[in-house]
Amino acid sequence: MKHNSMRHQHGLSLIELMVAVVLGIFITGGMIQLFVNSNQSYRVQENISRLQENGRFALDFISKDVRVADFWGCLHGVAYIESNLNAGSVFDNFDRAISATNNDGLNNSDSITISGAASSGVFVVDTPASTSADLKVTDNSGLLENDVVIVSDCSDGDIFQITNNPSTGGAAGKDEVIHNTGAVSSGPGNQDKPLQKIYQTDAQIYKLRTVTYSILAGQNGQPALFRSVNGAANEELVEGIENMQILYGVDTNDVDDTANYYKPRDALTLVQMDQVNSIRITLVATTLEDNLATAAMPYSIFGVITTPADRKIRRVFTSTIAVRNRLL
């Protein structure tokens, strides 16, 4: 009987090795491409989520202050308010409850300054003996030395700076507010001590608040929304806010509480600014990372189209806010 001998293969041939290498390269390349695509999708979604969150937060901050602009307790307007402060401070123009600049900030952004009183629940509890006397007010008032406040009833109001610590030195169960003239450790100080009237126990004390919003370069070099309160240093609030443009709604007939037209600040007189009863704010929020889009993404503000030089993603947020204290 004749037996066929069998050859046993040892190792791989060159062709088999090359085929295996090519297949490995295809599989590895596919995995790398899948990883890159997944990573890019994650970057895009993460940045868009943060962008949307930043836009909402920024509008929320501004809206809350705009709504309470020109609030002076039960006084309607500033005609009967007298300032006892020294001149030369951020409070000089308190009677301009809404003031602004146009296209003079970072990226030609606008800025806006809002003034008014902040409700504190503090009442005058004893009728003072004279217009220069200290004011006895609600115990544990939360008022502090150097606070700039307004005392008002429904007829008149006086603005002054507190020159003592109201929680010490007064009678039991009461805080004591002193408004002397002379040097103070911080703030404008008082030019006059006498108030324009003796305020009865129907009067309240409110903290005066002046807030400015603007677009500046943030700590990380990115544009951001900043806020300054009562002339203090600018505080970074929300990063990634690249631009702010504002239109002011002017109610010319004072009948229906409806703005007759919207214009930028530089197109309005001071008289027209006093007739503003709504404000339309547009913010451009941008992602902090670049190279997220496949090409530059144009955006539009009030009909003006801008095409950026980078490949960041941007969203435009617009809100029209009523100035409640200027509505009938």
Side-chain angles (χ1 to χ4, degrees), residues 4 160 192 205 296 324:
N4 291 326
F160 60 86
D192 301 308
I205 292 185
R324 293 174 177 173

Side-chain angles (χ1 to χ4, degrees), residues 64-78 97-98 114-117 254 257 274 276-278 322-328:
K64 286 181 178 178
D65 282 320
V66 168
R67 290 190 188 103
V68 298
D70 214 6
F71 171 72
W72 308 104
C74 60
L75 281 172
H76 189 68
V78 297
I98 301 171
I114 301 150
S115 298
D254 200 24
D257 289 335
D274 289 339
V276 168
N277 68 359
S278 62
V323 184
R324 293 174 177 173
N325 296 293
R326 291 187 173 180
L327 303 178
L328 297 178

Side-chain angles (χ1 to χ4, degrees), residues 123-134:
F123 286 83
V124 175
V125 295
D126 285 341
T127 301
S130 69
T131 56
S132 298
D134 307 336

